[in-house]
Structures are given as structure tokens and as C-alpha cells.
Amino acid sequence: IVLFEDSLNWIKFCFEKDYTGAKRVVSVVTKDISDYCNSAAITGNKVYYKMAKADNVITLYYSTDGVKWLLIRHLQFNNKKPLKIGFLAQSP
């Protein structure tokens, strides 16, 4: 999932394999410079995501069952342009 203001200001919330091959919840916050964070390891093949926005605060949650939600990041995102949300696919 990508929350996008422009090419220098965006948030990516995804499910990736890390350098060891472990599947993880990953978030990247870019405000001119990217802050990449490998978070919770996931043993299954699916994960649920939730993004919440209140004024200029964004909160990212994940769940493995869609019932119990765990906090990943809570951050300030001072956008000047309207935000867009969508999906992104990437491959090395």
C-alpha cells in the first residue's frame, strides 16, 4: 500500500522477504530521505494492513488474522498537496 504526496514524500507499507529470506511487515517513510524499517516477522503467507489518518498523523497497523491489530508506526506527515492512496508492485 502506498500513501503518496509526491516523489519525495510518501509512505509504503508492504509484505516483503528480508535479506535472510524471512517474510516481514515493512514500512518506508520518505520525507525527502527514506526511513526503511523491517518490522514483525510473519510465518504465514498473508497479512492484513490498516492505515489511519487524523489531521497530520498517520498510524500503521498489521494483523495476521484480521481481528487482533498491532501497531507498527505512528508518525507525523505534514503534506502540502493532496494525498493519494493505492497499490504498488515491485520486484528486484
Side-chain angles (χ1 to χ4, degrees), residues 1-2 10-18 24 26-28 30 34 36 38 86-92:
I1 299 171
V2 177
W10 48 271
I11 298 170
K12 180 175 81 168
F13 198 24
C14 54
F15 188 37
E16 293 181 350
K17 282 189 179 179
D18 69 12
R24 293 193 176 276
V26 174
S27 62
V28 180
T30 299
S34 291
Y36 189 95
N38 279 339
F87 295 97
L88 171 72
Q90 66 184 50
S91 179

Side-chain angles (χ1 to χ4, degrees), residues 5 10 12 21 24 27 29 35 38 41 44 49 51 54 56-57 61-62 65 75 83 91-92:
E5 178 182 8
W10 48 271
K12 180 175 81 168
R24 293 193 176 276
S27 62
V29 175
D35 173 358
N38 279 339
Y49 288 108
M51 295 177 99
N56 65 341
V57 176
Y61 303 90
Y62 86 97
D65 60 10
L75 61 116
L83 296 175
S91 179

Side-chain angles (χ1 to χ4, degrees), residues 31-92:
K31 297 190 241 181
D32 294 323
I33 297 172
S34 291
D35 173 358
Y36 189 95
C37 182
N38 279 339
S39 297
I42 305 294
T43 56
N45 289 318
K46 69 178 180 180
V47 66
Y48 299 86
Y49 288 108
K50 185 176 357 183
M51 295 177 99
K53 182 178 183 306
D55 295 320
N56 65 341
V57 176
I58 307 289
T59 308
L60 307 177
Y61 303 90
Y62 86 97
S63 173
T64 56
D65 60 10
V67 176
K68 180 181 175 186
W69 293 92
L70 300 167
L71 177 69
I72 289 294
R73 288 180 96 150
H74 185 73
L75 61 116
Q76 189 173 3
F77 197 78
N78 295 317
N79 57 298
K80 294 175 182 71
K81 302 174 197 167
L83 296 175
K84 298 175 186 174
I85 191 163
F87 295 97
L88 171 72
Q90 66 184 50
S91 179

